[in-house]
Amino acid sequence: MQLLQLFREKEGGIVKKWVDHIFSEFPSESLRFLNNKSDRFANPLGHNFTAGLAELFRALGSDVDVDITPALEQLMKLRAVQKEHTPSESLSFIFEVKRIFRSECRKEWSAELEQQWPDFEARVDKLALQGFDLYMASRERLFNVRMHELRSGRGEIVDRARCPSAMLREEMKLKEKS
């Protein structure tokens, strides 16, 4: 049996465990919200993680090279804004697919599959390297936006949790009193 064929056959279980792995990193009170993956508007984070991992899965299981940059970039943007994770923690989910796949395929594992394993591992590693580049680009964009906010003075609005519309209302009240 071909490793990629087995990988595709086990798609449902592997993707579910992969998504569950990412969600397990969130606080327990967030899990109820995140597990509602079906509605992309009510739960954009859960939907984006689920759809993105499914697309990465299909690319890893494909016999031909597939450009997964858009899906991977979306996932890396989501990970880049999560301040509670280090860069290595943010990208560790990519490597987790190896462990999940091996555990899902224990019964079917053979010497033939073991010989094909290094090629699959290389595909995952290549995906992780691409993910790292996209993660760092996202972090750099966030840094540049923050610096621009600070230089322009808008950072004070954000830091004090006062939105522009609230400031405008306050100004209008002051003008009415004068």
Side-chain angles (χ1 to χ4, degrees), residues 48-132:
N48 283 326
F49 272 123
T50 303
L53 288 178
E55 196 167 331
L56 292 184
F57 181 90
R58 285 188 291 279
L60 284 172
S62 176
D63 294 329
V64 296
D65 284 340
V66 177
D67 181 24
I68 46 92
T69 303
L72 187 57
E73 184 174 27
Q74 180 64 28
L75 289 171
M76 291 300 98
K77 284 178 182 179
L78 294 172
R79 299 300 274 186
V81 297
Q82 297 172 335
K83 293 181 181 179
E84 62 273 1
H85 296 301
T86 65
S88 61
E89 291 169 337
S90 294
L91 278 101
S92 67
F93 78 92
I94 295 173
F95 298 105
E96 190 64 20
V97 74
K98 295 179 193 180
R99 186 194 62 76
I100 294 169
F101 179 48
R102 293 281 298 237
S103 71
E104 283 288 303
C105 301
R106 280 188 307 262
K107 294 177 186 173
E108 297 89 351
W109 206 257
S110 66
E112 179 186 359
L113 295 177
E114 191 67 40
Q115 288 178 333
Q116 297 169 25
W117 184 249
D119 291 335
F120 179 76
E121 279 189 313
R123 292 175 83 143
V124 174
D125 294 346
K126 182 180 174 185
L127 179 70
L129 291 173
Q130 184 182 4
F132 182 74

